[in-house]
Amino acid sequence: MRVSHLVRQAQKGNKEALLQLIMADKDVYYRLAYSYMGNEHDALDAMEDMIVTLYEKIDQLQKSEAFSSWSKTILVNRCKTLLRKKERMIPVGDEGDSSFSSLTDDNPYRDTDSEMNMEVLLSQLNARQREAIELRYVHDLPYQTIADMTGAPLGTIKSRISQGIQKLKVMIGGEHDEDNRGEVKGA
Amino acid sequence: MMKTIEEKLKEHKQTLEMLQAPTALENRLRDALHNVPDKKKNKKKATSWIASAAAVLILVIGVYQYPALAYYGEKFFKTNWSSLSFSEVTEQGYGQKVDESITLRDGTVVTINGVMADDNVFLMYYTMDRPVGIEFTDEDFRRYGFDKLKGFLTDSKSQGNGGGDGKNKSQFVGQARFEPVSPFSRTLTVTFYEWINDERVFYPISFKFEANKAMKSIIKQELDQSIEVDYGTIHYDSISASPTSTLIKGRYEFEDYPRTYGQYKLYVNGIEVQYKGKSGRMPEFELEFDMLPTDRINSIELVLENFLGYQKIEEPISLASPSDRSIKIGDEKLWIRSVTKTRTGYDVVIARREFTKLKWDTITVTAGGKVIPVSSISESRPWDLGNNNIMRENTFSFNTMDKPESLLLEGFTYIKTYNKRISLPVEK
């Protein structure tokens, strides 16, 4: 109820209502922006762009319940636009631009080996598979939202994710036995 | 023990969840919004037709005081065409009736009631009727959409749609916007789709398009105007004033493309026309304003109020007497608030306006005859001047045992006031 009330207010041009909608989930939006941009400075730039676009386009949102996925889609698009301007690949796949690099560097709590390992593993996927897997497993977004964000059909998203997961399993489980999660080969 | 991929992904997620939005976020977003011009609310059609009729009436009484116009008529310019229902459009003698339907798998009937075309947009009015007694749920609308609109020389993308309940909760009344269509199209086909279990099911709907019922533009012509800004030249290539909107198209001729487009105002006979937004893919852009208030045009002026500027700094800035008094650089100000000795060197606190961004990867100081690059830069934080002016400041750290004498800063970007005015030559 609260969300739909705020969306209606925002559609009437109430900027503070729009701000409240974003602030209510600020960490979720920030993490999404951060995972594309890789640093606070650019993540904040992307969120600024997002809120301006949301304000200008909120008339086009026909159902307030869709606000969350709609706004995240716009955020991801803004991130990609900014990244394109920086002539980077999307989502960041090269080591130097590793999307969580600064996060993992700053985090004293992480299990270094497994986290680094995940970074390395993800970097082995193609950019689209990696993006879909991160949006699904790290950002908990529904398949449909991921499809909207990336402009790919739902079926394609599902197959990118399952192929990506399969590839990851092969990598940690050995090349010959896709279902073998129990042992490391050649490590 | 080796973990499964699912477990590893979960850990990866937990790592990310330790990340929290910086406290600066709220102010950054509020300021970004503050910089966007307020918009006049386009009425959402979910409210009743009575309300929108009332709004039109208020416009008639309140705003424009133009004499009767020869071509479109006085009433025409007092109508907010893009917010009317189809019956309201036809009442005024415009629009084209269509009445073509398709039936979705679940029995829902989608009807294109009518369309209204002009040089800037193609509006389609539709209704969706659920079988009797079944109400729409909010989830339903995430499954529906319009794909492209196609026809001879026409391949128009959807520009979004909106709507609301019709006579009851089993009916939805909507309006879909598309890019304009070619007047040479005789038959148009729009494709409605719905997602059913991960599959998109398409339902094409074709109808005759009567180009002669399209609404004529008030002005449509090429422009050859430009404005110089710090980043290069902004060219304005065309203006198209239709009954639904006024579009000015142009392109940037820049070496690199700044993120902000700047703010514009449009005046017709000295009267401001409401700004609606901008779009486009770099280097091209499109400014959208409301419909012009009249076709008796004596003058059209476009004013670039501000745009991203770049201030180059040639001279070193003295660090001898830091204070809360500003240093004027070009049209803009900076503050060197403090220079403090730390365990590892010196910290310099520099404040600036919110949207002034220092080119900070190349900041250096001179100290003891040497040039010392910045070693770290803090997150920015607000500095409240107490007079409704909140600046942003950062601490710049330098590894030097000598006291820094001067700051070498290449330049900064900022929102620069241009107020450059161009007259658009309008042939009638």
Side-chain angles (χ1 to χ4, degrees), chain B residues 175-188:
Chain B
Q175 186 206 57
R177 295 171 69 92
F178 294 87
E179 292 171 344
V181 303
S182 162
F184 299 108
S185 294
R186 289 276 178 270
T187 303
L188 292 173

Side-chain angles (χ1 to χ4, degrees), chain B residues 5 92 96 100 118 146 264 283 295 324 373-374 379 401:
Chain B
I5 277 298
Q92 307 222 23
Q96 178 204 325
E100 290 286 340
D118 71 22
F146 282 104
Y264 285 95
D295 60 356
D324 287 351
V374 64
E379 295 303 336
M401 285 303 129

Side-chain angles (χ1 to χ4, degrees), chain B residues 160-423:
Chain B
N161 61 91
D165 292 340
K167 61 189 179 208
N168 55 46
K169 297 230 179 242
S170 301
Q171 188 182 59
F172 178 83
V173 179
Q175 186 206 57
R177 295 171 69 92
F178 294 87
E179 292 171 344
V181 303
S182 162
F184 299 108
S185 294
R186 289 276 178 270
T187 303
L188 292 173
T189 301
V190 66
T191 304
F192 184 88
Y193 65 79
E194 66 171 333
W195 288 96
I196 299 177
N197 303 328
D198 304 346
E199 289 297 322
R200 206 147 58 129
V201 181
F202 295 94
Y203 304 90
I205 313 172
S206 294
F207 55 90
K208 289 265 172 289
F209 173 56
E210 300 165 45
N212 59 346
K213 290 201 172 153
M215 299 177 90
K216 292 193 177 67
S217 280
I218 305 156
I219 306 169
K220 187 175 168 66
Q221 68 178 65
E222 305 286 298
L223 299 172
D224 183 17
Q225 314 275 105
S226 61
I227 289 179
E228 297 293 327
V229 293
D230 290 349
Y231 276 87
T233 308
I234 310 175
H235 294 279
Y236 304 91
D237 297 329
S238 69
I239 179 168
S240 166
S242 84
T244 50
S245 65
T246 303
L247 298 181
I248 294 176
K249 292 186 186 177
R251 73 210 130 82
Y252 300 112
E253 202 178 287
F254 292 170
E255 289 207 351
D256 72 305
Y257 296 108
R259 286 180 41 236
T260 155
Y261 291 92
Q263 284 178 310
Y264 285 95
K265 284 217 160 77
L266 182 72
Y267 296 94
V268 170
N269 302 346
I271 311 281
E272 186 182 343
V273 182
Q274 179 80 31
Y275 176 73
K276 298 284 272 290
K278 69 230 158 205
S279 55
R281 184 174 285 244
M282 290 284 193
E284 290 171 359
F285 64 88
E286 193 172 288
L287 308 173
E288 185 183 348
F289 297 88
D290 241 343
M291 171 177 68
L292 298 184
T294 174
D295 60 356
R296 292 196 166 173
I297 293 158
N298 301 319
S299 69
I300 300 188
E301 286 176 308
L302 182 68
V303 179
L304 177 65
E305 294 194 314
N306 57 46
F307 197 81
L308 198 72
Y310 184 74
Q311 178 66 50
K312 205 172 163 184
I313 305 174
E314 316 268 9
E315 300 289 314
I317 299 167
S318 167
L319 296 173
S321 46
S323 84
D324 287 351
R325 289 168 71 177
S326 64
I327 302 164
K328 197 161 192 304
I329 299 169
D331 305 330
E332 189 58 7
K333 291 183 277 192
L334 293 180
W335 289 262
I336 307 292
R337 297 197 62 208
S338 64
V339 178
T340 330
K341 176 111 181 65
T342 65
R343 227 159 32 86
T344 53
Y346 279 86
D347 278 356
V348 179
V349 174
I350 305 175
R352 59 197 158 84
R353 262 194 256 263
E354 176 79 36
F355 296 102
T356 300
K357 290 189 175 156
L358 309 181
K359 196 165 185 316
W360 57 25
D361 42 340
T362 55
I363 288 180
T364 55
V365 289
T366 54
K370 275 183 280 191
V371 175
I372 316 289
V374 64
S375 63
S376 72
I377 304 171
S378 75
E379 295 303 336
S380 74
R381 47 187 186 265
W383 172 39
D384 193 341
L385 295 186
N387 51 359
N388 284 333
N389 281 311
I390 299 175
M391 304 297 148
R392 306 293 307 178
E393 63 176 29
N394 300 72
T395 302
F396 297 79
S397 304
F398 299 89
N399 289 329
T400 172
M401 285 303 129
D402 300 309
K403 189 168 194 285
E405 294 130 23
S406 57
L407 177 77
L408 304 169
L409 178 61
E410 268 186 49
F412 54 81
T413 59
Y414 66 113
I415 294 177
K416 181 170 177 175
T417 304
Y418 280 95
N419 281 330
K420 286 198 181 174
R421 186 176 284 260
I422 51 173
S423 287

Side-chain angles (χ1 to χ4, degrees), chain A:
Chain A
M1 267 331 277
R2 191 176 136 74
V3 170
S4 58
H5 174 74
L6 287 173
V7 170
R8 272 198 306 279
Q9 291 298 310
Q11 286 180 324
K12 287 178 187 156
N14 183 335
K15 291 175 175 174
E16 204 58 34
L18 179 59
L19 186 66
Q20 277 186 43
L21 282 164
I22 301 303
M23 290 309 289
D25 258 338
K26 61 179 196 295
D27 291 339
V28 171
Y29 286 98
Y30 180 67
R31 286 169 198 149
L32 186 58
Y34 195 102
S35 65
Y36 277 87
M37 306 310 295
N39 67 71
E40 174 180 326
H41 181 260
D42 292 343
L44 288 178
D45 278 355
M47 289 188 71
E48 277 180 10
D49 282 2
M50 168 193 74
I51 205 161
V52 169
T53 308
L54 293 180
Y55 182 71
E56 287 170 348
K57 294 200 167 160
I58 196 162
D59 289 348
Q60 296 170 14
L61 180 69
Q62 58 180 31
K63 288 286 155 182
S64 59
E65 287 68 20
F67 178 80
S68 165
S69 63
W70 175 72
S71 52
K72 285 173 192 157
T73 302
I74 286 177
L75 177 59
V76 166
N77 284 331
R78 294 312 307 165
C79 288
K80 289 181 176 180
T81 306
L82 290 176
L83 287 170
R84 260 199 299 279
K85 283 184 197 158
K86 296 181 166 213
E87 296 179 308
R88 289 203 211 154
M89 288 299 292
I90 308 163
V92 275
D94 299 337
E95 303 123 73
D97 283 340
S98 192
S99 59
F100 294 109
S101 57
S102 31
L103 169 68
T104 48
D105 288 349
D106 291 345
N107 173 17
Y109 305 106
R110 74 192 151 86
D111 169 354
T112 310
D113 287 340
S114 77
E115 192 54 41
M116 286 304 283
N117 210 342
M118 198 64 230
E119 259 313 304
V120 173
L121 287 172
L122 284 171
S123 70
Q124 302 301 307
L125 300 177
N126 75 42
R128 289 174 164 179
Q129 286 174 343
R130 179 182 180 160
E131 178 181 35
I133 285 178
E134 291 196 335
L135 291 173
R136 181 74 193 102
Y137 287 93
V138 181
H139 297 285
D140 275 338
L141 293 167
Y143 290 109
Q144 182 58 61
T145 305
I146 300 171
D148 293 343
M149 280 176 178
T150 52
L154 197 60
T156 307
I157 292 303
K158 288 189 167 173
S159 72
R160 273 180 203 165
I161 290 173
S162 73
Q163 284 166 11
I165 291 285
Q166 215 49 51
K167 203 168 161 189
L168 292 172
K169 283 182 177 171
V170 171
M171 281 188 278
I172 66 164
E175 287 182 19
H176 306 294
D177 184 359
E178 296 188 351
D179 291 316
N180 183 356
R181 300 171 191 170
E183 53 186 21
V184 194
K185 286 179 183 167

